[in-house]
């Protein structure tokens, strides 16, 4: 029995993930306006037998919660100032040292309104030589979807413009559309 799918079905959610199953990729998820995005995305990916990883502040990796977070694919992120490597370099090393890593990231970096998207996911994709799968959690249709895969060019401005252009069609998908800025 697939508990993940059962719970999504019970809540009235559909899953439309048609991109190829990859051992390594970055999953870009937008719009991100609610903590529910994490739960729904996790359940949807798991309902297909896939495991997504996610970055979370190391603060949350305390006993006994850390065992659950690791089991769900959590990767602790130390507070700024700890260590000599940047977070991007650390994540690229994780890709290089693991046979499987599907890292879900939210380029907005916050659930609040922001016009500036973070570019770290692009640099991770470049450095790890992995594609970016574009995910949407659409509250208006109750659908979690990843239907497009993007091969980055290596030009941050061009890649960010292309990715943001894709997400323009999904402003009304957010749980709180007024918190999503994609101009």
């Amino acid at each position: 029995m697939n508990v993940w799918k059962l719970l999504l079905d019970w809540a009235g959610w559909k899953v439309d993930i048609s991109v190829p199953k990859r051992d390594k990729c970055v999953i870009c998820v937008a719009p991100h306006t609610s903590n529910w995005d994490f739960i729904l995305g996790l359940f949807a990916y798991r309902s297909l037998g896939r495991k997504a990883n996610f970055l979370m502040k190391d603060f949350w990796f305390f006993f006994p919660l850390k065992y659950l977070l690791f089991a769900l694919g959590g990767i602790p992120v130390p507070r700024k100032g700890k260590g000599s490597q940047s977070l991007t370099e650390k994540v690229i090393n994780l890709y290089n040292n693991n046979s499987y890593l599907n890292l879900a990231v939210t380029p907005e970096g916050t659930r609040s309104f922001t016009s500036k998207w973070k570019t770290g996911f692009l640099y991770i994709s470049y450095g790890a030589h992995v594609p970016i799968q574009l995910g949407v959690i659409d509250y208006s249709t109750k659908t979690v979807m990843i239907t497009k895969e993007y091969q980055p060019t290596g030009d941050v401005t061009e890649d960010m413009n292309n990715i943001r252009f894709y997400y323009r069609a999904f402003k009304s998908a957010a749980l709180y559309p007024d918190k999503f800025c994609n101009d």
Side-chain angles (χ1 to χ4, degrees), residues 25-27 29 32 35 38 42 52-61 69-70 72-78 86-95 98 101-107 109-111 118-125:
C25 68
V26 171
I27 306 164
V29 182
H32 176 50
N35 282 330
F38 169 75
L42 173 73
N53 302 93
F54 56 92
L55 301 173
M56 184 176 266
K57 293 175 185 168
D58 64 354
F59 167 84
W60 292 104
F61 286 79
L69 294 174
F70 282 127
L72 292 174
I75 299 169
V77 176
S86 74
L87 178 58
T88 301
E89 291 168 329
K90 287 178 185 175
V91 173
I92 290 169
N93 284 336
L94 286 174
Y95 275 98
N98 289 282
L101 186 59
N102 284 196
L103 181 65
V105 296
T106 56
T110 179
R111 293 173 310 279
K118 308 270 185 199
T119 57
F121 75 101
L122 288 170
Y123 288 106
I124 290 167
S125 175

Side-chain angles (χ1 to χ4, degrees), residues 64-88:
L65 184 59
K66 68 180 177 180
Y67 297 108
L68 174 63
L69 294 174
F70 282 127
L72 292 174
I75 299 169
V77 176
R79 289 181 225 54
K80 291 184 179 182
K82 283 188 175 180
S84 59
Q85 260 187 332
S86 74
L87 178 58
T88 301

